[in-house]
Amino acid sequence: MLRIAGVVTGVTLVIVLILVGELTPLLVILNPQNGVERNAQNLVISNQSYSLPGLLHKVTVIQDVNGVYHIYASDDHDLFLALGFIQAKNRLFQMELFALTGLGNLSQMLGSSYNGYDKFWSMVGAPLTAHTDWQRVLANATKNPLDNLTVVALEAYSQGVNDYIAYAKRQHVLPFEFKLLGFKPFNWTPVDSFAIQELETTLEFGDDALKFALLYHVLGNETYALIPTFSPIQSYYYAGFQGAPNAYVLRMSEHTYPVNSTLASLAHQVLKEWDPPPFLPFAYPDTHSNEWVVSGNRTNTGKPILVGGPVLSFSLPAIWFQVQLVDPNYDVYGVVLPGAPVVVIGFNRYISWTLTDTQAISSGTFFWDQAVKDGKYYWNGSWQPVTLHVINGFKVNWTNLGPILAQNGTNALVMSWMGNLYSNDIGCLLEIMKAHNWEEFRSALRAWFAPFQNFAFADNSTIADISPAFYPIFNSTSGLPYNPGSIMPGDGQEYISGKIPFDMVPQVVNPKAGFIVSSNQRQVGPAYPYWFGNTMTFSPGFRAMLEVNYLETHPLVNVYDMMTLQSKNYTDYEAALTLPYILKDLSNSSDPLVLQALKQLRGWNYEMYANSTAASIWFFTYMYLFNETFITFFYKTGILPTYIDVFNVSGMGGSFPKTSGLSSLDVDLAHIIITGDAKPFSNLSLSTLLSRAVTEAMVHLKSYPNFTWGHFYGFYFPSILGVSSLSVGPLSRGGDYNTPNDASGGGPQSNWPAGGQSWVMVVSMENVSNSYGVYPGGQSENPASNLYSNYVSIWISGNYLPLYFIPSANQFPSSLIMDTIELW
Amino acid sequence: MKGVNSKNFLGSLVLGSVLGYFALLTGFWYALVITGFVSGLLQKKLVHAFVALFLAGVLSTLLVLLPLFKDGLIRLMEVVGAVIGINGVALLLLTLLISGLMSGAGALIAASLRSFKSL
């Protein structure tokens, strides 16, 4: 009996274990030989050697004491292959996640809950563009050196990534996330790198024109007071064209196509679908990045200094990966994106460069009211067949203008997104990486069409900035074109007739001022002869004003001054501009709460320090004044509550949790405070509005035992897996929406902003080896690694790391080496 | 353990551990059932067989994992545990438990069959 029981028990145990293995991933995950335990090997930092298929010569990779990889190769092929291998070794899961995001295939990895995103992204056209871009590069490779370079780099890079995948499979050290998700990594191809480029293109991808159309639908011409074409505040335009507004441009801007209720409803529907998944690397960059260059006659060394601070959503692992790439053609240092083998922001021995969003021309996203019936669209008096694309299993119809986003009856809302234009950004950056001077740099950018970016530049004797892109010119068969910053008629009367010529895109070289600032503010003044957008998309410009003011008042600066300005200057320039008016306006108040607030504000120096209570009073006063003025106006006019999901806005770019921003309104509010007139938005006097705002602010703040600014402002670095224990923060720090150290880029998905200057870099052109930079994250994506988030504490304290720019492996000081990897 | 033939017990334990170690290296975890079965044939008593080979399963797994401890296995398992919502050390113990049960189950069947034969 006992024996039978023994057999039965044994067999039952085996069956139970098999069932556990079949029904749960437990046995796959915990398998001692090839489960997650094996990934501990990835944590080892030591000198290693790998034999890689496809490598032509030996490559030496040195990881410096800060974790940065320096790759020394004999030719381009080996250089990019090694980069692919090293990047995959550190970031494979993130790379594949990004590629699937760019290809609209996230549900393949993360499950059906991402179907909505995949559908939207497929509909937008980006996956299709990634494929067609690569096919075009491949087809042109024999006759176009830029495309040929791209093919060499991407094919070698893909091989390097796949070499790592093969190695990791053999050694059972694929990132544990794959094992947990039960997802097998796909082999990398150049299309995946172009999918990453498409993700980058979302830096200029906006729905503001739809919002404008809804506002105009409700407000009519009053919209132009709410969304002025030109800022009444801005005075610094890096590329000039100050002066009286160009009459044609102004007339065009205030000539908006009136949409009917059906189109308004379609616009509303699309706006509600627009939000990207929260972990997207470029999810909420908006209007926050910084760049400036200072000429040699204003620096202590006599050579230019370049400063870069692109604001992107934060994540752990961070979006950037820091490298130096060296071979006979390249010797370049900077940050690369996971999955694209190009230094996006960085320097070589001769030049340095950085990027910010232009925020121009409706973020390159245009919408049309087009008639579509029975599989045909109407254009120029005739009906043409729509083109059906099946992307990721989703059917998307395209007209001549772009994808149909929504349709009701014969009314269709169609989008033209410049991100769907052919643009070999990877090739451009490969050329930039080896440029020697401004001419070569500028020439490489002729092929850059999207996303719309400002490129700051410095070499030994030149400072410059240029905003190259395919900026469309609109024309109309019936005279004045309609405002492209709203929905336009899609029957053929209005059309894109070309692009702003390259020589006319915003640019400046060695300006008299001795510096250039391009921090998302409008690049060109009102006299610019082309339609370049309205105040809805550009930054209100207060950061740029601060940076310009600092540089104007400091005739001689050094790299340390620039680091301090970028990371430790917490002056809110909007406060500096408007608070004197507020204090004057409230000077007669006898309300005890107002008097209490005024007492603190009078002694305040506009610094948004974490330990300042006056900073909190300013911020909440401003935010409640915003609400008193605009939210009340929105309710009065019927915009709210009808469009609450679209216009749930707050001041300072949407600095209240779970709200969004409208740049125009921040410009408007500053103007209202300065002029003392809130009309047409409110019939109340500014004093009344201000008294209410201050009172609300004080009541709110007094509900906290301690209301120093650090209690409300800080940074959160979320794990890419969404696991709170693997995230870092929130960590308080000074600054606000109007300072270079801006946390508002993270957007409304959490109470603590999860975005900011994703890479801070100060390059001295006197000797690029004396340059500094850091990004909040770490080189490894493995949360158990010491290199997962080790830069965060440095970044949060406003400090930098030296950027070791060493020309050869032999010259690398041993004291700076963490480990050496030989690839052969 | 009362009535334990220490020579057989130890023999099973050592044999089970060595075979288990090599079985685990194949990556086929269920192979521990087979190594437990083979090593369990040395035992007559069911309980002794189960205990010896359970321990052998645990031991062989520890041998496989041992080099990983210095690489940061505990730190890694804490991270994995955070992702899936289980304590990291508990995950490691679960790994050992599963190995023990596989090996022990094999031994239980072997010892029972051996007893049948000896009847």
Side-chain angles (χ1 to χ4, degrees), chain A residues 339-362:
Chain A
V342 283
V343 172
V344 179
I345 295 173
F347 59 87
N348 63 30
R349 187 161 305 285
Y350 309 100
I351 70 161
S352 56
W353 72 95
T354 184
L355 280 68
T356 56
D357 273 4
T358 68
Q359 314 287 355
I361 307 202
S362 206

Side-chain angles (χ1 to χ4, degrees), chain A residues 373-418:
Chain A
K373 190 170 68 177
D374 301 330
K376 292 182 175 176
Y377 64 86
Y378 185 78
W379 181 257
N380 268 343
S382 68
W383 292 88
Q384 306 290 335
V386 298
T387 306
L388 173 68
H389 294 285
V390 180
I391 307 165
N392 298 321
F394 301 109
K395 290 180 180 172
V396 189
N397 285 310
W398 284 53
T399 74
N400 61 322
L401 296 169
I404 299 171
L405 298 187
Q407 189 174 352
N408 184 351
T410 57
N411 286 103
L413 182 63
V414 180
M415 180 181 73
S416 300
W417 176 39
M418 298 302 107

Side-chain angles (χ1 to χ4, degrees), chain A residues 315-359:
Chain A
S315 63
L316 290 173
I319 187 164
W320 299 116
F321 187 71
Q322 204 173 326
V323 289
Q324 181 183 1
L325 305 174
V326 185
D327 77 355
N329 291 322
Y330 290 100
D331 188 0
V332 60
Y333 190 112
V335 284
V336 300
L337 293 169
V342 283
V343 172
V344 179
I345 295 173
F347 59 87
N348 63 30
R349 187 161 305 285
Y350 309 100
I351 70 161
S352 56
W353 72 95
T354 184
L355 280 68
T356 56
D357 273 4
T358 68
Q359 314 287 355

Side-chain angles (χ1 to χ4, degrees), chain A residues 2-4 6-7 9-11 13-14 17-18 21 26-27 30-34 36-41 43-44 176 180 721 723 725-726 782-784, chain B residues 24-25 27 29-30 33 46 50 61 64-65 68 71-73 75-77 79-80 82-84 91 94-95 98 101-102 105 108-109 112-113 115-116 119:
Chain A
L2 189 66
R3 290 169 185 88
I4 293 171
V7 174
T9 309
V11 171
L13 258 179
V14 173
L17 287 166
I18 289 172
L26 206 60
L27 296 199
L30 295 180
N31 188 314
Q33 176 60 13
N34 48 30
V36 292
E37 294 96 333
R38 202 50 46 188
N39 287 82
Q41 288 177 328
L43 302 175
V44 179
F176 71 83
L180 295 184
L721 299 168
V723 178
S725 58
L726 305 182
N782 188 335
Chain B
L24 283 173
L25 292 186
W29 207 351
Y30 294 115
V33 177
L46 303 189
F50 181 78
T61 305
V64 170
L65 296 181
L68 301 175
D71 297 343
L73 180 61
R75 211 164 66 234
L76 174 80
M77 293 310 283
V79 164
V80 174
V83 176
I84 60 180
L91 273 180
L94 191 60
T95 307
I98 292 169
L101 288 176
M102 283 189 185
L108 211 53
I109 298 167
S112 304
L113 292 178
S115 305
F116 275 125
L119 280 175

Side-chain angles (χ1 to χ4, degrees), chain A residues 747-769:
Chain A
Q749 75 268 34
S750 67
N751 285 349
W752 289 92
Q757 292 192 110
S758 59
W759 162 243
V760 286
M761 179 184 79
V762 178
V763 182
S764 166
M765 294 312 298
E766 182 258 337
N767 177 2
V768 291
S769 299

Side-chain angles (χ1 to χ4, degrees), chain A residues 507-578:
Chain A
Q507 55 198 296
V508 67
V509 183
N510 289 330
K512 274 186 192 161
F515 62 83
I516 307 165
V517 172
S518 186
S519 296
N520 307 126
Q521 84 279 15
R522 189 182 170 101
Q523 296 78 3
V524 282
Y528 190 60
Y530 300 96
W531 188 84
F532 212 62
N534 58 38
T535 52
M536 204 167 183
T537 52
F538 295 107
S539 158
F542 299 112
R543 278 178 296 112
M545 288 181 210
L546 164 74
E547 290 149 8
V548 168
N549 179 267
Y550 179 94
L551 293 170
E552 278 176 344
T553 53
H554 293 75
L556 204 63
V557 297
N558 58 40
V559 290
Y560 303 103
D561 296 328
M562 295 298 90
M563 286 191 263
T564 304
L565 174 59
Q566 183 180 40
S567 292
K568 291 182 179 170
N569 190 317
Y570 302 141
T571 309
D572 182 321
Y573 204 81
E574 188 172 17
L577 205 62
T578 61

Side-chain angles (χ1 to χ4, degrees), chain A residues 174-449:
Chain A
L174 282 171
F176 71 83
E177 293 90 341
F178 288 116
K179 297 173 183 177
L180 295 184
L181 290 166
F183 182 82
K184 290 190 173 59
F186 53 83
N187 269 359
W188 197 265
T189 70
V191 172
D192 298 310
S193 294
F194 270 95
I196 304 294
Q197 178 183 300
E198 276 304 292
L199 268 189
E200 179 203 350
T201 307
T202 60
L203 284 168
E204 289 284 298
F205 180 49
D207 54 11
D208 287 325
L210 293 179
K211 289 179 180 169
F212 192 101
L214 285 186
L215 288 172
Y216 190 79
H217 182 64
V218 177
L219 299 175
N221 287 344
E222 210 168 25
T223 310
Y224 304 127
L226 195 70
I227 314 287
T229 303
F230 303 111
S231 167
I233 305 291
Q234 186 175 344
S235 60
Y236 173 84
Y237 302 92
Y238 92 72
F241 293 99
Q242 279 97 338
N246 180 291
Y248 177 81
V249 170
L250 194 57
R251 277 174 53 225
M252 185 174 160
S253 300
E254 299 189 350
H255 181 228
T256 300
Y257 175 68
V259 296
N260 60 25
S261 300
T262 308
L263 243 291
S265 165
L266 291 178
H268 189 198
Q269 177 192 324
V270 170
L271 279 167
K272 285 193 283 188
E273 291 173 8
W274 201 272
D275 277 347
F279 63 82
L280 273 191
F282 303 108
Y284 298 99
D286 282 344
T287 53
H288 309 279
S289 300
N290 302 286
E291 69 180 27
W292 65 86
V293 269
V294 186
S295 69
N297 59 8
R298 298 181 70 100
T299 69
N300 67 325
T301 62
K303 301 294 177 189
I305 296 174
L306 177 138
V307 180
V311 168
L312 297 171
S313 292
F314 289 148
S315 63
L316 290 173
I319 187 164
W320 299 116
F321 187 71
Q322 204 173 326
V323 289
Q324 181 183 1
L325 305 174
V326 185
D327 77 355
N329 291 322
Y330 290 100
D331 188 0
V332 60
Y333 190 112
V335 284
V336 300
L337 293 169
V342 283
V343 172
V344 179
I345 295 173
F347 59 87
N348 63 30
R349 187 161 305 285
Y350 309 100
I351 70 161
S352 56
W353 72 95
T354 184
L355 280 68
T356 56
D357 273 4
T358 68
Q359 314 287 355
I361 307 202
S362 206
S363 300
T365 322
F366 308 99
F367 300 92
W368 311 83
D369 170 13
Q370 194 164 27
V372 176
K373 190 170 68 177
D374 301 330
K376 292 182 175 176
Y377 64 86
Y378 185 78
W379 181 257
N380 268 343
S382 68
W383 292 88
Q384 306 290 335
V386 298
T387 306
L388 173 68
H389 294 285
V390 180
I391 307 165
N392 298 321
F394 301 109
K395 290 180 180 172
V396 189
N397 285 310
W398 284 53
T399 74
N400 61 322
L401 296 169
I404 299 171
L405 298 187
Q407 189 174 352
N408 184 351
T410 57
N411 286 103
L413 182 63
V414 180
M415 180 181 73
S416 300
W417 176 39
M418 298 302 107
N420 279 329
L421 289 179
Y422 168 72
S423 184
N424 183 3
D425 301 351
I426 291 172
C428 291
L429 287 167
L430 286 167
E431 287 288 352
I432 284 174
M433 284 157 58
K434 56 182 180 181
H436 290 73
N437 51 47
W438 166 241
E439 286 71 30
E440 288 178 13
F441 182 85
R442 185 174 180 270
S443 171
L445 288 171
R446 282 182 179 275
W448 185 285
F449 289 156

